[in-house]
């Protein structure tokens, strides 16, 4: 990044949190910003040293060849309990994940390393994850614009903001115990919906950080909230057609500042062919699971893939394996744990009908394949964006974070799927040890019922296909997300011009 203060280009620095679910969309967003006006925008993604290769690999895959996105690095601070080189949620031991999350919002620990880089690069705008609430002040000091980019949509963002404030209020007046980890009957927290009804979230389904007293730091929440309010504006990885009413609500919470809905950012930039789909391009060959999908009938396959962060016990994997077998449907199952093996004899019994992939699979390409009939998903936002883009209906199996909230958007509001583990079937919890085992029979029954001709799956697919068309239209030239992206760049350019005028007057 050229640091000349009078550079003609609009220099934007993007700073994601240390998880692939944040670094991925931030990098995609950077590609979109640069591709929208290659002559005007210079986008740089800033991450800690060990995370740089991941960001570079996305740029190599996503960025059209005429578009350049830079990567800048800063050192990950020394954090008690984290070995050197452990700088993201993918590689940290699950029991230590909170250390990364806690370090990210710790001003004393994280601000110095970030501030040093921001001052050195002196960008025109900083697009920051909400964790790094001090970036508002740093940007302000430098006369730069500051934006927060939400990697999740308007509905979960609004729900979480509401939950945060009601839990903070309960904690401060002492009327309610925030520590709900011990009891599954500790009640429900209502979140108001646009239709005037309440969405009821049992305590066990709240994001973990709200459930553990030690982890719920109301003062950090306050500072994140006030920093977001002081920021120039906010952008989110969603599109108006998906959650219009909630987008309006989201925009309305900070009325003096614009909001931009720019997703799904996982789609390639309008009018530009991606450099090479699948990294190595055609030479690298297609993944064997695509060849397998080619041999399956249209809309017949159950695709199962959970996020890399959700802990799934061995016992649960066995039930899932037996449930997929009992469903009698073709299935493509991605298991992240590459040392796990299915039960004795299972592989032979399911034969060609089942494809088990260990480790990584090309999810976007799989969802785009016409053989896929349903996606069994943990409801991570990026998977939601991908399945909506592809028009594939879902069976939901939320596990951690805000996934139980997103599930309600998919099933109750958008109608693109059903719960796999039905209401009343057992305890559902963001704490995997507390979550009841989902039995093989539950898995098989849910799949069979959903995929019955004329059943829930058909209605959900119809709706998913409509949203898919809307997602593509939003990102195409002239679509709502494309317009918001252009407006965002125009607004940043305008603000910079004003800033320079003000500085010139000051120095005249
Ligand atoms: C996480 O860190 C490791 C190194 O510890 C790195 O190899 C990997 O690319 C990083 N990013 C992600 C998203 O896994
Ligand atoms: C992966 O599977 C093995 C064998 O079943 C198990 O011992 C190990 O704990 C699993 N690892 C994770 C991270 O779940």
């Amino acid at each position: 990044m050229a640091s000349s203060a009078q550079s003609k280009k609009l220099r934007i620095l993007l700073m994601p949190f240390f998880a692939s679910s944040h670094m991925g969309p931030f990098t995609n967003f950077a590609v979109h910003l640069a591709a929208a006006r290659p002559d005007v925008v210079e986008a740089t993604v800033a991450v800690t040293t060990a995370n740089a290769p991941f960001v570079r690999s996305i740029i190599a895959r996503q960025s059209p060849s005429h578009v350049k996105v830079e990567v800048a690095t800063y050192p990950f601070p020394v954090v008690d309990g984290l070995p050197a080189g452990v700088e993201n949620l993918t590689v940290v031991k699950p029991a230590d994940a909170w250390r990364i999350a806690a370090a990210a919002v710790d001003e004393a620990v994280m601000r110095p390393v970030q501030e040093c880089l921001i001052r050195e690069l002196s960008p025109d705008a900083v697009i920051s994850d909400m964790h790094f609430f001090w970036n508002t002040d740093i940007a302000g000091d430098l006369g730069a614009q500051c934006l927060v980019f939400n990697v999740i949509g308007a509905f979960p963002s609004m729900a979480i903001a509401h939950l945060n404030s009601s839990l903070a209020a309960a904690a401060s007046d002492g009327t309610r115990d925030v520590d709900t980890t011990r009891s599954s009957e500790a009640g429900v927290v209502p979140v108001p919906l646009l239709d005037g009804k309440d969405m009821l979230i049992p305590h066990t389904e709240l994001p973990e950080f709200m459930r553990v007293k030690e982890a719920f730091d109301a003062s950090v929440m306050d500072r994140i909230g006030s920093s977001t309010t002081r920021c120039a504006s906010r952008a989110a990885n969603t599109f108006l057609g998906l959650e219009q009413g909630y987008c309006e609500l989201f925009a309305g919470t900070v009325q003096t500042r614009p909001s931009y809905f720019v997703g799904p950012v996982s789609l390639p930039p309008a009018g530009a062919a991606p450099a090479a789909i699948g990294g190595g391009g055609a030479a690298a060959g297609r993944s064997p699971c695509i060849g397998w999908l080619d041999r399956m009938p249209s809309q017949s396959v159950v695709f199962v893939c959970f996020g890399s962060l959700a802990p799934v016990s061995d016992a649960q994997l066995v039930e899932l394996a037996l449930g997929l077998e009992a469903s009698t449907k073709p299935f493509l199952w991605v298991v992240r744990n590459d040392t796990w093996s299915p039960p004795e004899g299972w592989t032979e019994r399911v034969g060609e009908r089942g494809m088990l992939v260990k480790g990584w699979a090309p999810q976007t390409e799989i969802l785009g394949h016409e053989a896929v009939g349903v996606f069994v998903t943990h409801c991570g936002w990026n998977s939601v964006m991908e399945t909506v883009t592809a028009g594939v209906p879902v069976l939901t199996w939320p596990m951690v974070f805000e996934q139980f909230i997103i599930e309600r958007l998919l099933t109750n509001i958008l109608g693109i799927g059903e719960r796999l583990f039905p209401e009343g079937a057992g305890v559902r919890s963001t704490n995997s040890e507390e979550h009841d085992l989902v039995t093989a029979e539950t898995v098989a029954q849910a799949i069979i019922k959903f995929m019955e001709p004329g059943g829930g799956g058909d209605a959900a697919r119809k709706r998913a296909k409509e949203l898919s068309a809307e997602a593509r239209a939003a990102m195409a030239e002239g679509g709502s997300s494309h317009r918001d992206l252009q407006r965002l760049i125009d607004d940043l350019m305008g603000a910079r011009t004003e800033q320079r005028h003000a500085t010139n007057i000051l120095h005249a």
Side-chain angles (χ1 to χ4, degrees), residues 19-20 23 50-51 53-54 85-91:
S20 55
M23 294 186 282
N51 289 312
F54 176 74
V86 173
E87 304 180 1
N88 61 51
L89 296 186
T90 308
V91 293

Side-chain angles (χ1 to χ4, degrees), residues 277-278 280-295 355 360 362 365 369:
I277 288 189
R286 295 199 313 165
S287 157
C289 59
I290 301 298
W292 178 88
L293 282 172
D294 287 344
R295 297 195 291 279
M355 173 102 187
W360 185 85
E365 222 183 322
H369 198 288

